Amino acid sequence: MKFKLENTDETLEGAFVKSLGNNEFIIKIKNSERNLKIIDMSYDKIEFMLDNSFHTTKYLETSTSKITVVVDGVKLTFNKRPDLDKIVYKNSGMESATDSQVSLKSQIPGRVVSINVSQGDNVKKGDVVCVLESMKMQVSIKSHKDGLIKSLKVKQGASVAKNDVLAEIE
Amino acid sequence: MKFKLENTDETLEGAFVKSLGNNEFIIKIKNSERNLKIIDMSYDKIEFMLDNSFHTTKYLETSTSKITVVVDGVKLTFNKRPDLDKIVYKNSGMESATDSQVSLKSQIPGRVVSINVSQGDNVKKGDVVCVLESMKMQVSIKSHKDGLIKSLKVKQGASVAKNDVLAEIE
Amino acid sequence: MIEKILIANRGEIAIRVIKTCNALGIKSVAVYSDEDVNSKHVKMASEAYHIGPPPPGQSYLNMEKIVETALSCGADAIHPGYGFLSENADFADLCEKKKLNFIGPSGKSMRLCGDKMLCKAAMIKAKVPTVPGSPGIVEEVEKALDIAHEIGYPVMLKSVFGGGGRGIRLVHDEKELRQAFELASGESKAAFGKSALFVEKFLPKIRHIEFQLARDKHGNTVHIFERECSIQRRHQKLIEMSPSPVVDQKIRDEIGQLAVNATIAVDYLNAGTAEFLRLDDGTFYFIEINARLQVEHPVTEFVSGLDLVKLQIDIANGKELPFKQKDLKVNGCAIECRINAEDTFLDFAPSTGKIYDVNIPSGPGVRVDTYLYPGCTVSPYYDSLMGKLITWGQNFEEARQRMQTALSDFYIEGVENAIPLYRTILDSKEFISGDLSTDFLDRFKILDRLQSDLKKEASQKSEVALAATLIHSEFLKNRVKSHKEHGIRWKTQLDRN
Amino acid sequence: MIEKILIANRGEIAIRVIKTCNALGIKSVAVYSDEDVNSKHVKMASEAYHIGPPPPGQSYLNMEKIVETALSCGADAIHPGYGFLSENADFADLCEKKKLNFIGPSGKSMRLCGDKMLCKAAMIKAKVPTVPGSPGIVEEVEKALDIAHEIGYPVMLKSVFGGGGRGIRLVHDEKELRQAFELASGESKAAFGKSALFVEKFLPKIRHIEFQLARDKHGNTVHIFERECSIQRRHQKLIEMSPSPVVDQKIRDEIGQLAVNATIAVDYLNAGTAEFLRLDDGTFYFIEINARLQVEHPVTEFVSGLDLVKLQIDIANGKELPFKQKDLKVNGCAIECRINAEDTFLDFAPSTGKIYDVNIPSGPGVRVDTYLYPGCTVSPYYDSLMGKLITWGQNFEEARQRMQTALSDFYIEGVENAIPLYRTILDSKEFISGDLSTDFLDRFKILDRLQSDLKKEASQKSEVALAATLIHSEFLKNRVKSHKEHGIRWKTQLDRN
């Protein structure tokens, strides 16, 4: 297996080398052999010693293309397809919407308090499209680009989940 | 269901009366109706409101004849056969061996450090039969009655579990 | 004497009050909405009563229902916690009318504290210095624009109601002021049924320093030192500490006396807080009295050794304060980090959902007040405070080190939270040197540093993560889906040779 | 300066040391036997090394292996905790020889403290009053019988080694003395390879009061107040507190000075404890110096505000004590209950096994030092101390109330423990009034009261238990077996109408 740390040139490669029995293994990371001892394992959690340090890992999400793990409290995501091998940081704040996207999505769960635009309106990037309420706070949802409100997907009073589409802007 | 609190004359009787839906029920305890609302339930633990107080119960041991529950941290055992309905107290210290018992059992887990009697010896109640070591302590196991050592069931150096028979004394 | 207290609140503060009730042998009564049937305060209280559906207006803000519940279950007192009805003068009055001992100030005093304009006037009379700004309430946006124009942008738009940072908005120009005015009116109307905003000069690089107060029915009044609460986001406190790095005993005595004067000026009763702004030149301005127990009261408990909830109950029972001002000495240093359910990188937007796993730190000088347990839910209906991590040390450095260790041990799975942010802040030389201000996060580009810290941390853990991924592909790959679906915890069959 | 500490111990004390290491940025190294691969200290340390099979003699007492591990992993210091090698002078010497900074006294001083006879002589020379008793070691049981006859029964048979109450036996007659002599020799030989017993007059209704000591490499010596440790079973402490109800500042100064003199008399280094017996007439007799950190050190940490492990590390680094005797003031009151795995009603016999569930209390003024977590194991190979519950209050009554609340919240499923006993003790008027002595349990028939309390509690909970049993028979009866076997946690299908 091979993957790359995003925004760095560091490449990581690893493989199982052999079993020593008694839940101990030799693995290879970055061409050096390391001792791995599995202490406990359940469907979503593994406790192991890597050389002489204890680690807890939880598998939050696993699919054929990626795996999200929490290692000693630190969350990391690997894309497993070779062409996409990389770690995507949690909380990187880098996945904001771009101009090419049509959908304005809600990044928080909440209730729609007001809708400030109508279908067919022209909006500029940063204009308030609607206002959501969650945890006693009112949060203005702003247009992610200049464009025309093609359609509104929510009504006043409705509840929206995170990533629900609020409006389509072209 | 009916059972008796040991050492008291208090008798408890209870039954389900009806379901109110939404996990709420009317039950009857000591002839008075009580409101029961089940909050959460797994195979060995139940959380419920009885009238207006929250309770957690864990089922430690359940069989056809008895059930041991921990109610809000307090352990109680019910014998369910009608002729034996009673609560046996945890830690009551009342279940000590009697003269009629032959087997001298270990009440602790440990390792046999020494055996102080031989088969055929006469012992008096309180004489040290053997010494066990557990948790860095040496504990003398004393004869529970006057009698003759019929057989020894353990050897020096052996490990014994709680309730293992150490010797038979007649 | 109070024998049974209904706690008109939820979450960590309800639990906090229950703990003191338990220690004192006082019965505690929880109330809960449909959303909270599984919440920890319900499980811990002696009794618990359902009071309505999830929206606060229909449950935790439903004063008639709460008072009725208290009366029918035989409670003799009500502790309001913070938020919800805690600063609602009508509720305090209603309790008094129904002969329920309201653990807090009188409705009259609360009204005076809550009306920022009347309060300001009382302070000016009592010679307590206040922030220069607009003379009174501004009803129309056009009026606000005029005032802002007069005193110059940026200005702060504030709500007479609210508190805890809510309803405060910084605006830089006319357009922002118009938008903010509309939003603030809306929020205020939604929460309090009416809107009342005012404008104040924006003061740059200020510290938020507040004094804990206590006043008994006999008029004895003390301050229990200051708390520095300058680390904020969107005008809400994130980190609090006592003592403040810029308050020595001389300043403590001086501003503490102003705080005491402020308390007397509004005829305050019970525990409260006088909030001040401190400018870089050392000037203190009174801003408001928070007529309740504060979220950050544990830092004061650590450095004073007092149980403030017990003190509140004693005062409500009519007892005299068991100490004089001179008996109170700051012992060591305490720091609190608020553990909010919010996404640091999404401008601290709320994050809600089920908590799959949680590890709560412990150790010498570590205290955690929280409602979290594995399997609980962080609800979108209520505020984002899941808990508070408080550490104490003989001095600031020891408290800081213990906080760092405890933060590393604090693990919450299920919602975003600011624990990584706090680690970055606590590691910063500016925090260590005490160079604090309410714009700390922006001034030192803390979020950029956090991103770099997270990258570093990810890089440090990458080899371990790789090992874990190897294990996964070797042993678990084909099992996870099916087992997760059935919720089965299984032990793997590794070779046992 | 120390940068990496190997902790030659396990359980709660290893965890305690790791926590201070973490706060100070010092790397921690755990060692573990086969039995402890799943133990919490292994999980928490920066690094962990396997040192042998379960029996202590082959792992935690294997000094060569431990020193070798320390050297190969680059540790520069060793913290011995308590028990195991902590008071082994040869181990201290070996560390010194291998240039490992042993965090404790020198081997020479330890030998003097450990040899109760030499120590007694040193104390007599230093004018520290000691218990009247036998002049030296008694090698033969016949000699012991002669001495006992001379001073009169009952007498105490004690081991020169041991400590923490082990190897101390009260005997009332010749027969008991013979049996006890044999057992004590055996234990001592098993643990230390040799036996050395002595006889002392039994003193009735005594209190056990000890003074925490600290001495740096520059000869600065202080005591950090007393701890009252009179509540015991089989001569082992159950409950400790500071301050003692019978020690005022005058007595503290006076006996504290004796403790300091004792420390200097044996040229002690680092943290230690001078143990005294106090008779009903107020006489104090020195009994021994415990050349290590004590189990009960947290009560002193609470009332002094000090981190004693940090202090130990600072002293080992050659630093001067950062305070003088006059700077140290008792702040409030702290109580500790030892949470042992033992069956109160089986004469406190060990109870071992898997911990299926545990709830650890928390709250203001509550500290828990423990290795317990759900799923861990209490091993028969090591001692029965699973953890310690410590509470602090502004005064004794507040500490006691907090302890009661915390005890009710402490739940351990899997082994017997003394939590119910502590609740009975803490509720007793004799404990509340401070009428303590080492025979407290017998003198006030506490176990009888406990039985009555347990009955009362069971009776109070019987209706709830009945409800739970009804639920079981209605919904779970036929499911428990099969699901438990498969380890499946399932949600029941209740009616959702």
Side-chain angles (χ1 to χ4, degrees), chain B residues 34 59 72 78 91-92 137, chain D residues 234 345 451 461 463 468-469:
Chain B
R34 311 279 291 266
Y59 303 102
D72 305 334
F78 301 157
N91 277 349
S92 70
M137 277 192 314
Chain D
R234 277 208 318 265
F345 288 109
Q451 231 161 58
K461 289 291 179 189
E463 298 192 8
T469 306

Side-chain angles (χ1 to χ4, degrees), chain B residues 61-68 77-81:
Chain B
E61 208 188 320
T62 55
S63 70
T64 48
S65 65
K66 71 174 187 175
I67 178 165
T68 300
T77 298
F78 301 157
N79 277 313
K80 293 199 283 190
R81 280 176 300 173

Side-chain angles (χ1 to χ4, degrees), chain D residues 180-201:
Chain D
F181 200 91
E182 195 177 338
L183 277 173
S185 299
E187 266 184 41
S188 185
K189 277 176 190 157
F192 305 98
K194 48 191 171 171
S195 149
L197 307 174
F198 64 100
V199 178
E200 268 179 1
K201 177 74 187 152

Side-chain angles (χ1 to χ4, degrees), chain B residues 136, chain D residues 6-15 17-18 29-33 36 39 41-42 49 51 59-61 66 78-87 91 292-293 382-383:
Chain B
K136 303 193 325 200
Chain D
L6 181 143
I7 302 148
N9 217 303
R10 64 180 298 282
E12 67 88 19
I13 191 62
I15 294 165
V17 176
I18 291 170
V29 179
V31 293
Y32 62 98
S33 72
D36 273 333
S39 292
H41 73 289
V42 174
Y49 296 87
I51 51 162
S59 48
Y60 298 106
L61 291 172
I66 288 170
I78 290 193
H79 195 296
Y82 52 70
F84 293 130
L85 296 169
S86 63
E87 293 178 281
F91 183 60
R292 58 167 196 271
L293 191 68
Y382 313 114
D383 80 25

Side-chain angles (χ1 to χ4, degrees), chain D residues 414-451:
Chain D
V415 298
E416 300 298 332
N417 61 71
I419 291 170
L421 172 67
Y422 295 142
R423 296 182 60 190
T424 293
I425 294 172
L426 266 88
D427 246 355
S428 70
K429 62 180 186 305
E430 295 85 0
F431 183 81
I432 292 171
S433 70
D435 183 5
L436 312 178
S437 59
T438 55
D439 62 351
F440 185 89
L441 296 192
D442 287 340
R443 191 155 62 96
F444 298 119
K445 298 198 176 13
I446 296 296
L447 263 57
D448 293 347
R449 291 196 205 169
L450 169 59
Q451 231 161 58

